[in-house]
């Protein structure tokens, strides 16, 4: 066996994108100085969990971490996928943190990916599992991913600090993606959403719905926000509530926003019902605020919201050797960092052209020619 040549990187920034792109391109990486300047240096629990997840999906993967956790050697294996897989995502990040790379790996796996993910389904930091189902899956269809194979079932919800959620994810394989010319945002034709409660009164969910509808109904008539009241085993291990909203446009775009309210990590669960306990944000304020956030996302323009910019750029770059052209609002920090990692790993550069008339940005690239060489065809 020949000597392995590693791509050398420093720092902890963009760890998720780096590991994803390294796996897709079969590029061994050596990452040093991981959180080296922090009080607790080394890989974080969610980053180690992500590596273990990649290890489950691939064959012949090699992971070496030094004693302090500040140095990582990662040699990706062949993306196999498969069924009957289970992964505990832990409590430091929500399941949404793992879903984006998981979806892309699943598309280019040898076999259809069927996996159970356990942990936090909804929090205020990562996109909720509801957003992936209502917004991310429709986005994939624009790149030729068949909708009938995509499935995400929420068996139980879990919020911070102690999770307890479980989702069942199915991702079909594709031979290759399809390049897209997607620059028309269209006009918003309806608002859809879902408000959930876990281990709290269902009335909190109703208050979020009424508050959000109070804003949207002034602008358009087609507004429907469902209620998902969970209790007992389906409610996870911590009390909380939240809402996810999506604006659907006439051109097939889905613009989303979501939020969750729960007790922060580190609070004692036993004292949840104590009168002196820190109070959570009123449910009506949560619904009203998130409705305003969604309106701001719509005002920015573009075919996706700011949360999905990174995934959009990754999909464009992973297309066959053909031109993809998309329109987004103001580039988000995550979107910008993703563009840099795409350039470094895939050697794909986007032509970026601001559109002063709309305040949006048009991006165009030539795909990297990514193909699923291991996919079984019949």
């Amino acid at each position: 066996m020949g000597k392995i040549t590693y791509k050398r990187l420093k720092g902890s920034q963009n760890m998720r994108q780096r590991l994803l792109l390294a796996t897709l391109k079969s590029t061994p990486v050596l990452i040093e100085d991981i959180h080296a300047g922090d009080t607790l240096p080394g890989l974080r629990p969610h980053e180690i969990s992500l590596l273990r997840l990649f290890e489950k999906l691939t064959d012949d993967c090699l992971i070496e971490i030094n004693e302090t956790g500040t140095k990582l050697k990662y040699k990706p294996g062949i993306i196999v996928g498969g069924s009957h897989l289970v992964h505990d995502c832990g409590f430091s990040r929500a399941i949404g943190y793992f879903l984006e790379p998981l979806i892309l790996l699943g598309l280019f796996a040898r076999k259809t990916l069927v996996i159970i993910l356990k942990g936090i389904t909804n929090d205020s930091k990562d996109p909720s599992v509801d957003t992936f189902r209502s917004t991310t899956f429709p986005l994939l269809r624009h790149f030729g991913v068949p909708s009938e194979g995509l499935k995400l079932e929420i068996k139980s919800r879990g919020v911070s600090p102690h999770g307890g959620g479980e989702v069942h994810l199915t991702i079909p394989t594709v031979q290759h993606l399809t390049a897209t010319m997607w620059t028309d945002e269209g006009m918003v034709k309806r608002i859809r959403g879902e408000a959930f409660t876990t281990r709290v009164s269902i009335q909190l969910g109703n208050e979020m719905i009424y508050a959000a509808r109070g804003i949207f109904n002034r602008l358009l008539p087609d507004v429907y926000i469902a209620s998902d009241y969970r209790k007992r085993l389906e409610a996870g291990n911590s009390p909380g509530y939240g809402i996810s909203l999506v604006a659907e446009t006439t051109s097939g775009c889905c613009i989303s926003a979501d939020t969750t309210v729960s007790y922060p990590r580190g609070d004692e669960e036993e004292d949840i019902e104590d009168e002196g306990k820190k109070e959570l944000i009123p449910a009506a304020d949560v619904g009203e605020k998130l409705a305003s956030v969604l309106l701001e996302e719509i005002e920015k323009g573009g075919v996706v919201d700011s949360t999905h910019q990174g995934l959009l750029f990754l999909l464009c770059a992973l297309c066959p050797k053909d031109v993809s052209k998309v329109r987004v609002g103001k580039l988000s920090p995550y979107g910008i960092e993703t563009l840099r990692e795409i350039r470094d790993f895939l050697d794909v550069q986007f032509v970026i052209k601001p559109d002063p008339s709309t305040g949006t940005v048009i991006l165009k690239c030539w795909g990297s020619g990514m193909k699923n060489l291991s996919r079984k065809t019949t």
Side-chain angles (χ1 to χ4, degrees):
M1 183 177 175
K3 184 179 178 181
I4 300 173
T5 302
Y6 287 89
K7 183 181 179 71
R8 302 180 72 93
L9 302 166
K10 282 186 178 287
S12 57
Q13 66 273 22
N14 311 322
M15 179 72 72
R16 185 174 58 160
Q17 294 104 310
R18 286 175 170 180
L19 293 176
L20 168 65
L21 289 167
T23 306
L24 289 169
K25 289 295 290 182
S26 298
T27 303
V29 292
L30 170 61
I31 307 177
E32 299 177 289
D33 298 335
I34 301 171
H35 299 289
D38 294 2
T39 306
L40 294 174
L43 286 162
R44 297 293 180 255
H46 58 272
E47 293 167 341
I48 295 174
S49 181
L50 184 68
L51 282 166
R52 297 308 175 200
L53 176 60
F54 283 15
E55 193 175 35
K56 291 176 183 178
L57 300 181
T58 58
D59 186 27
D60 197 28
C61 167
L62 176 64
I63 299 172
E64 293 182 13
I65 304 172
N66 69 351
E67 291 183 3
T68 60
T70 57
K71 183 177 178 180
L72 165 68
K73 273 187 175 181
Y74 174 60
K75 184 186 81 67
I78 299 169
I79 308 169
V80 177
S83 55
H84 308 297
L85 298 174
V86 180
H87 184 72
D88 190 335
C89 299
F91 304 138
S92 62
R93 292 294 288 265
I95 291 173
Y97 172 84
F98 301 84
L99 279 177
E100 182 177 301
L102 193 57
I103 288 170
L104 289 173
L105 289 181
L107 292 175
F108 291 98
R110 180 178 294 172
K111 296 179 286 188
T112 297
L113 174 63
V114 182
I115 186 170
I116 297 173
L117 300 170
K118 299 181 179 182
I120 295 172
T121 58
N122 302 77
D123 79 348
S124 57
K125 188 170 187 177
D126 297 299
S128 70
V129 292
D130 305 273
T131 294
F132 276 90
R133 191 163 59 178
S134 67
T135 305
T136 310
F137 283 1
L139 165 61
L140 296 175
R141 291 199 288 268
H142 287 271
F143 291 87
V145 179
S147 58
E148 55 270 14
L150 292 166
K151 186 186 294 184
L152 194 155
E153 297 179 87
I154 305 171
K155 296 297 184 180
S156 61
R157 290 192 183 271
V159 300
S160 176
H162 300 306
E166 179 177 311
V167 300
H168 293 200
L169 176 70
T170 303
I171 302 295
T173 61
V174 295
Q175 193 71 40
H176 56 76
L177 298 174
T178 304
T180 186
M181 303 295 283
W182 192 19
T183 57
D184 179 19
E185 308 106 310
M187 302 292 289
V188 174
K189 61 179 180 179
R190 60 174 170 248
I191 302 290
R192 293 292 182 264
E194 188 164 21
F196 78 90
T197 54
T198 60
R199 299 188 179 275
V200 295
S201 169
I202 191 174
Q203 183 59 31
L204 296 178
N206 294 333
E207 290 175 11
M208 288 186 289
I209 293 172
Y210 295 149
R213 285 184 62 97
I215 291 179
F216 291 133
N217 282 140
R218 304 175 202 162
L219 306 172
L220 73 167
D222 194 353
V223 179
Y224 178 72
I225 304 172
S227 177
D228 184 15
Y229 174 57
R230 299 284 176 130
K231 57 184 179 180
R232 299 189 179 91
L233 295 178
E234 291 187 355
N237 302 322
S238 300
Y241 47 91
I243 183 170
S244 65
L245 299 170
V246 56
E248 301 177 16
T249 75
T250 53
S251 62
C253 301
C254 293
I255 310 298
S256 65
D258 65 64
T259 191
T260 297
V261 177
S262 64
Y263 292 100
R265 296 171 180 86
D267 283 4
E268 292 298 327
E269 189 78 358
E270 292 81 6
D271 299 329
I272 288 295
E273 297 180 0
D274 185 68
E275 289 298 324
K277 185 74 178 177
K278 174 186 172 184
E279 290 189 4
L280 299 179
I281 302 171
D285 293 351
V286 173
E288 187 174 323
K289 182 178 180 181
L290 190 70
S292 299
V293 170
L294 181 60
L295 292 177
E296 290 172 6
E297 285 287 350
I298 295 170
E299 186 180 13
K300 290 176 184 176
V303 297
V304 298
D305 53 73
S306 53
T307 303
H308 283 85
Q309 283 186 14
L311 178 60
L312 177 68
F313 301 154
L314 284 166
L315 289 166
C316 289
L318 292 170
C319 281
K321 291 185 178 295
D322 199 355
V323 176
S324 287
K325 184 177 179 183
V326 294
R327 183 192 300 272
V328 299
K330 181 182 177 181
L331 286 171
S332 65
Y334 175 57
I336 293 170
E337 292 300 328
T338 302
L339 289 172
R340 290 174 179 156
E341 298 301 335
I342 288 172
R343 177 196 61 197
D344 293 345
F345 278 90
L346 302 180
D347 196 26
V348 171
Q349 297 205 41
F350 284 74
V351 176
I352 303 173
K353 183 179 179 182
D355 184 353
S357 63
T358 61
T360 58
V361 181
I362 296 176
L363 295 95
K364 186 165 59 175
C365 80
W366 186 262
S368 63
M370 182 78 177
K371 289 184 178 181
N372 190 347
L373 299 178
S374 63
R375 180 173 180 254
K376 292 182 179 180
T377 56
T378 56

